[in-house]
Amino acid sequence: MNRLLLTMGMVAVAATTLMAQNAPQLGKDPVAKVVAAMTNEEKASFLVGTGMAGFSGMGMEDATKNATKTSDKDMQAAASQIGIIGETHQLVDGAAGTSYAIPRLGIPSFVMTDGPAGVRINPTRKGTSQTYYCTAFPVGILLASTWNKALVNSVGKAMGNEVLEYGCDVLLAPAMNIHRSPLCGRNFEYYSEDPYLAGEISASMVKGLQSNGVGVSVKHFAANNQEIGRMGVDSRMSARALREIYLRGFERVVKEANPWTIMSSYNKINGTYTSQSYDLLTTILRDEWGFKGMVMTDWMGGKDAVAQIKAGNDLLMPGMPNQKAAILKALNDGTLSQADANKCITRILNTILISPRYKKYAYTDKPDLKAHAVVTRNSASEGMVLLKNDNNTLPLAKNLKKIAAFGYTSYDFIAGGGGSGDVNEAYTISLVDGLQNAGFTFDNNLKEVNLKYLTDQKAKQPKLSPLIAGMILKRIPDYAPTADEINASVASNDIAFITIGRNSTEGNDRQVEGDFNLSQSEQQMMKNVCEAYHKAGKKVVVILNVAGVIETASWKELPDAILLAWQGGQEGGNSVADILTGKVNPSGKLPSSFPMSITDVPSTKNFPDASKIDAMKMMTQGFGASGEKKELEKNTDYTNYEEGIYVGYRYFDSFGVKVSYPFGYGMSYTKFTYSNPVLTKKGNLITVSCTVTNSGKVAGKEVVELYVAAPGKTMEKPAKELRGFAKTALLQPGKSQVVTISFTDAELASFDEASSSWVTESGNYQALIAASATDIRLTKPFTLTGRTIEKVHKVMLPQETLTLLKK
Ligand code: BGC
């Protein structure tokens, strides 16, 4: 009997082996054959990721045992309501997610990791003393401030090399949502208020990253412009605003850079979750734009797994058992067609086929972190923006060696923002470290006072995992130095620095008081330090180590110089020092406007007020789950984009509203003159050129911005729109460069809702060659015969009547 069973068992094993041997293999057999060989069970498993710590794929017990960066308890509470940052421990420890492998068909997993300021994995692993630190590169808003596509491309190259060498396949980056409001908690990850700039910078980043043979996931597609209520908020907007402002940058990246994957967003647009929107993911993304890659959800995004597959959202991340069950049931009962599932599976397989893991790339776990530290140091200094520099305060005169540093952030510099965009870097160079490296000395008393204050305050904070703390705790208010401390420092130092620090993260938005606006202690510090130093004939420099736009109008008259350092990655302090010493001449320009006040921003009345939100309650009880509440909450469950296309400078310029610092603004240690404008038209191609001359005393680079003002007679048009830009090489004093910018008439088109098409107006246009949105240096007129550029599908229309802002 036993012998019989044994024989039967052996026959069964042999049959399975034979089946496996005969089964089609990915890469050897056509993809269609591999798909056809999958069972429904395999298909359902393959369409969802393998889960993350605490959410299947790995038992809760395992997850808790392995979790190093975050506490799984916190994660679970938060995840069901606000989505959560991914973390698996399967192939690469701490990566965001992993796809499902089917070895019998030769299908390996592939590994996805955050993004976007560098690779986010766990820096240490059990059982080895080896470390896996990654480079924290500058945040997105800083990279956009470089206006330098070649430089962003080189950052992408370095970052992509870490993706590859740490055994990952896809970086969940770049993030390119529009800065609709300065208050969005994730603006640091995003690039700009302008879709052209955001699109061009993203495309350069994608090309750089993908040149390593790894993939990207351009996120969050689309109109994910606030964090409060992010899992379900309905972004309600006109078709024109959607097409022109919120989709246009993504379209540019898809067409220019061919990203491997795109990540759909958490929110809805005009009533439908983006991850469940066939109109967005198939009609627009694939049929209209020709996207060939794969779409994945954001982590736990959307509600209906089957609807997601039908919409063309190929992979559900990080993957949960209920999603697999729903898909399997629908495949078995026919409510999900084989054809729909197969299309998604095919696209995932095509991505796997080009991935390093499929190609068995022998990664080293040892990228050249030293070389990448140089890349981040140089790119950060190029994106820092000099906002003010009275009487040539900067670069620092050679005799100024002793510095009094106010603001605890001087000692505790912020490399980057929180959440999934937070890289585990080995070190961060603070302002003080950077300046010490450059040969300066610091007031030790101030250092001690500030660090003690910070330690005491930190001890009083509730004990939460860094992830959750980042989402719900307000930043510790700055230390207001006493009159005695200030006076003592004046006597023994040559100059004062005040660092204003701001951090933000996904899952929450910024408050106006104490975040967008300076806190009371910061205002007091600014006033008192400036008064005391100026009385003694000494200067004050403000360093803004911030994650986004802040209020500057009320205090900018006080200091002598202001450097917007953003969050410059792990070498931030060295990058700032390079600018302060004059080793680098600042050449960054603003990618978003700095308004006079938050109430001047047209989206403010339709944006959540973070001060009224109980962040802990939001996390545990949740907003945005439509249907759970009787009445939907304005700006949390739904947000009306009443400003329409008038976002950022498009609004300020068109409505004559004064700003503190305009879009595209940034100073240099030298001066540039613009001359000899030439405009030529060849068919539909318009080319504008001019000569830029360094008419100052030190070498520098200049960003040239090209805006076009349309007739605005037959269509509502903003006063002007950015249609091109270029950055000069490093020009020595007296040297010139001819800068050339080309665009087609199609770039000038606006979206006409009535005919659902992109159209250009006939009439007289102006090409405006500018140093900022309000500093037009040269103008060239041209005429255009209007035409319909492209007719597109009439989809994703608002379901309610919106009161739209009009000129
Ligand atoms: C974020 C994504 C991120 C994902 C994985 C989500 O919470 O919105 O940007 O890629 O987590 O960590």
Side-chain angles (χ1 to χ4, degrees):
M1 180 64 179
N2 276 351
R3 180 167 291 194
L4 182 65
L5 272 182
L6 192 65
T7 318
M8 277 168 63
M10 279 161 66
V11 171
V13 170
T16 319
T17 317
L18 199 66
M19 243 174 69
Q21 274 166 3
N22 288 340
Q25 297 294 299
L26 185 66
K28 297 203 178 83
D29 296 288
V31 169
K33 226 172 153 192
V34 176
V35 178
M38 284 185 181
T39 62
N40 278 356
E41 167 81 28
E42 283 170 333
K43 286 184 179 179
S45 302
F46 190 64
L47 289 167
V48 303
T50 59
M52 67 180 186
F55 295 88
S56 106
M58 164 191 288
M60 186 62 199
E61 221 178 297
D62 266 1
T64 319
K65 239 185 356 212
N66 288 327
T68 48
K69 176 93 185 165
T70 54
S71 130
D72 275 325
K73 250 204 201 146
D74 286 348
M75 273 175 64
Q76 269 207 318
S80 56
Q81 295 300 345
I82 58 159
I84 201 74
I85 293 147
E87 191 170 340
T88 69
H89 302 279
Q90 292 162 343
L91 291 171
V92 176
D93 200 10
T98 308
S99 74
Y100 182 80
I102 310 180
R104 83 172 181 95
L105 300 173
I107 304 173
S109 302
F110 73 104
V111 175
M112 290 147 267
T113 185
D114 278 306
V119 176
R120 176 185 164 84
I121 56 174
N122 288 342
T124 53
R125 292 179 192 169
K126 282 202 175 126
T128 169
S129 59
Q130 191 180 330
T131 55
Y132 302 80
Y133 288 109
C134 298
T135 306
F137 292 93
V139 295
I141 199 169
L142 184 154
L143 291 177
S145 308
T146 67
W147 297 65
N148 185 338
K149 293 190 260 182
L151 177 134
V152 172
N153 184 277
S154 68
V155 172
K157 271 191 183 138
M159 208 186 279
N161 172 264
E162 294 189 20
V163 176
L164 182 71
E165 292 305 336
Y166 277 130
C168 304
D169 299 280
V170 168
L171 186 74
L172 305 175
M176 56 171 302
N177 294 94
I178 292 293
H179 295 164
R180 173 178 175 254
S181 162
L183 301 178
C184 172
R186 293 188 88 168
N187 279 355
F188 69 96
E189 297 182 75
Y190 304 152
Y191 293 127
S192 172
E193 67 188 19
D194 180 80
Y196 180 82
L197 180 59
E200 285 296 288
I201 296 294
S202 288
S204 311
M205 177 54 88
V206 169
K207 287 182 205 162
L209 282 162
Q210 292 195 164
S211 68
N212 290 279
V214 298
V216 300
S217 196
V218 181
K219 67 191 186 184
H220 309 88
F221 189 55
N224 184 174
N225 307 106
Q226 68 184 64
E227 288 299 294
I228 291 173
R230 69 170 176 168
M231 296 305 281
V233 66
D234 186 14
S235 304
R236 298 176 177 174
M237 68 189 81
S238 67
R240 180 167 177 188
L242 175 66
R243 295 270 184 173
E244 272 183 37
I245 305 292
Y246 298 100
L247 295 185
R248 201 123 201 230
F250 285 100
E251 177 177 3
R252 192 165 279 285
V253 177
V254 166
K255 291 183 174 168
E256 271 183 33
N258 208 5
W260 286 17
T261 89
I262 281 184
M263 185 190 289
S264 54
S265 53
Y266 284 133
N267 54 289
K268 299 174 192 143
I269 297 177
N270 291 334
T272 308
Y273 281 104
T274 59
S275 61
Q276 295 172 199
S277 171
Y278 183 89
D279 291 340
L280 182 67
L281 302 184
T282 299
T283 309
I284 293 180
L285 178 63
R286 295 188 164 103
D287 299 346
E288 290 180 8
W289 301 352
F291 178 63
K292 294 276 176 295
M294 180 195 105
V295 176
M296 67 178 77
T297 60
D298 197 349
W299 269 230
M300 300 183 173
K303 286 271 180 278
D304 181 340
V306 174
Q308 289 174 318
I309 300 300
K310 287 184 181 169
N313 194 120
D314 310 306
L315 181 62
L316 313 192
M317 290 304 293
M320 290 177 285
N322 61 340
Q323 293 173 317
K324 181 190 155 184
I327 294 172
L328 183 58
K329 181 171 173 294
L331 276 173
N332 286 340
D333 68 20
T335 44
L336 173 62
S337 71
Q338 289 288 328
D340 279 347
N342 291 354
K343 264 191 253 167
C344 294
I345 292 169
T346 304
R347 289 189 288 246
I348 306 174
L349 287 175
N350 285 336
T351 309
I352 293 180
L353 273 170
I354 50 174
S355 68
R357 187 154 261 96
Y358 173 79
K359 294 178 182 162
K360 299 201 169 55
Y361 178 76
Y363 57 93
T364 58
D365 277 331
K366 290 195 178 85
D368 190 347
L369 296 178
K370 283 218 170 96
H372 296 170
V374 176
V375 173
T376 185
R377 176 173 180 163
N378 295 339
S379 58
S381 58
E382 181 140 350
M384 294 177 179
V385 185
L386 184 62
L387 295 177
K388 176 176 181 180
N389 195 18
D390 281 1
N391 303 317
N392 298 326
T393 300
L394 298 176
L396 294 172
K398 295 265 178 295
N399 60 336
L400 305 179
K401 282 290 165 209
K402 287 198 254 161
I403 294 176
F406 295 90
Y408 69 73
T409 317
S410 302
Y411 310 92
D412 192 31
F413 226 45
I414 306 163
S420 54
D422 187 4
V423 177
N424 294 311
E425 68 273 24
Y427 61 87
T428 298
I429 303 286
S430 70
L431 174 72
V432 167
D433 300 334
L435 282 166
Q436 261 164 2
N437 293 342
F440 295 86
T441 60
F442 279 89
D443 186 306
N444 258 328
N445 184 37
L446 283 178
K447 183 174 178 177
E448 273 166 30
V449 170
N450 274 283
L451 287 179
K452 180 171 181 317
Y453 167 80
L454 191 58
T455 316
D456 292 350
Q457 292 298 315
K458 277 187 179 162
K460 289 187 198 148
Q461 298 277 311
K463 299 274 162 292
L464 295 166
S465 72
L467 177 65
I468 301 303
M471 286 178 187
I472 68 174
L473 296 182
K474 277 174 76 173
R475 184 168 170 76
I476 297 169
D478 221 314
Y479 175 70
T482 63
D484 284 351
E485 284 161 356
I486 297 175
N487 291 333
S489 82
V490 178
S492 52
N493 292 287
D494 302 327
I495 187 165
F497 274 61
I498 300 176
T499 306
I500 301 292
R502 289 289 182 273
N503 211 350
S504 64
T505 183
E506 66 180 284
N508 210 344
D509 293 307
R510 295 172 59 200
Q511 305 205 4
V512 175
E513 290 315 322
D515 189 342
F516 180 78
N517 292 342
L518 294 195
S519 67
Q520 281 193 346
S521 53
E522 286 165 339
Q523 290 173 29
Q524 211 182 317
M525 166 168 69
M526 189 74 78
K527 193 169 153 285
N528 295 346
V529 171
C530 289
E531 263 173 27
Y533 275 75
H534 287 163
K535 218 191 246 166
K538 296 180 180 180
K539 290 180 175 174
V540 180
V541 176
V542 169
I543 306 290
L544 298 176
N545 182 200
V546 298
V549 170
I550 66 166
E551 188 275 328
T552 49
S554 70
W555 57 267
K556 68 179 178 184
E557 297 308 327
L558 297 174
D560 302 274
I562 307 172
L563 178 70
L564 173 57
W566 297 122
Q567 296 173 340
Q570 68 187 43
E571 288 280 331
N574 283 334
S575 309
V576 174
D578 289 344
I579 290 183
L580 299 177
T581 57
K583 191 174 153 200
V584 172
N585 185 352
S587 65
K589 292 197 176 181
L590 297 178
S592 284
S593 315
F594 273 53
M596 296 292 289
S597 100
I598 195 64
T599 48
D600 284 347
V601 178
S603 62
T604 301
K605 62 183 165 113
N606 289 303
F607 197 84
D609 178 352
S611 70
K612 301 222 169 78
I613 304 280
D614 178 339
M616 192 48 129
K617 200 165 138 213
M618 166 171 86
M619 206 164 286
T620 48
Q621 294 173 16
F623 287 117
S626 313
E628 287 169 16
K629 276 180 262 171
K630 280 193 203 89
E631 252 184 69
L632 296 183
E633 199 169 319
K634 186 169 181 280
N635 300 337
T636 297
D637 293 330
Y638 68 94
T639 297
N640 293 338
Y641 286 38
E642 289 180 3
E643 70 285 353
I645 55 168
Y646 293 112
V647 176
Y649 71 88
R650 283 174 171 75
Y651 170 75
F652 299 116
D653 274 8
S654 308
F655 291 81
V657 178
K658 197 171 163 237
V659 292
S660 184
Y661 294 111
F663 177 80
Y665 169 85
M667 295 175 75
S668 163
Y669 295 154
T670 188
K671 289 212 158 22
F672 295 97
T673 44
Y674 293 46
S675 60
N676 197 22
V678 179
L679 185 143
T680 54
K681 254 175 78 187
K682 242 194 205 151
N684 295 326
L685 187 74
I686 299 146
T687 302
V688 179
S689 68
C690 75
T691 304
V692 176
T693 306
N694 181 348
S695 46
K697 295 202 179 70
V698 289
K701 298 180 190 175
E702 171 72 337
V703 175
V704 178
E705 301 157 34
L706 182 86
Y707 299 88
V708 175
K713 296 223 165 96
T714 52
M715 288 192 97
E716 172 101 13
K717 283 271 196 178
K720 60 175 178 294
E721 293 179 275
L722 184 75
R723 301 303 192 192
F725 63 88
K727 195 162 193 172
T728 66
L730 186 74
L731 291 179
Q732 295 302 322
K735 292 283 177 232
S736 301
Q737 184 180 332
V738 175
V739 167
T740 306
I741 298 167
S742 296
F743 55 92
T744 63
D745 67 338
E747 297 278 356
L748 306 181
S750 294
F751 189 72
D752 175 51
E753 291 178 353
S755 61
S756 194
S757 50
W758 290 95
V759 293
T760 50
E761 259 189 306
S762 290
N764 297 326
Y765 288 71
Q766 303 280 342
L768 310 167
I769 305 173
S772 86
T774 57
D775 185 5
I776 313 296
R777 300 291 180 89
L778 302 166
T779 303
K780 278 300 236 186
F782 63 99
T783 55
L784 214 65
T785 311
R787 64 183 181 112
T788 298
I789 304 291
E790 191 190 358
K791 197 162 168 52
V792 296
H793 299 84
K794 207 166 191 159
V795 290
M796 303 192 75
L797 308 181
Q799 297 172 330
E800 327 50 37
T801 319
L802 292 170
T803 327
L804 281 182
L805 187 66
K806 287 218 163 76
K807 264 205 290 188

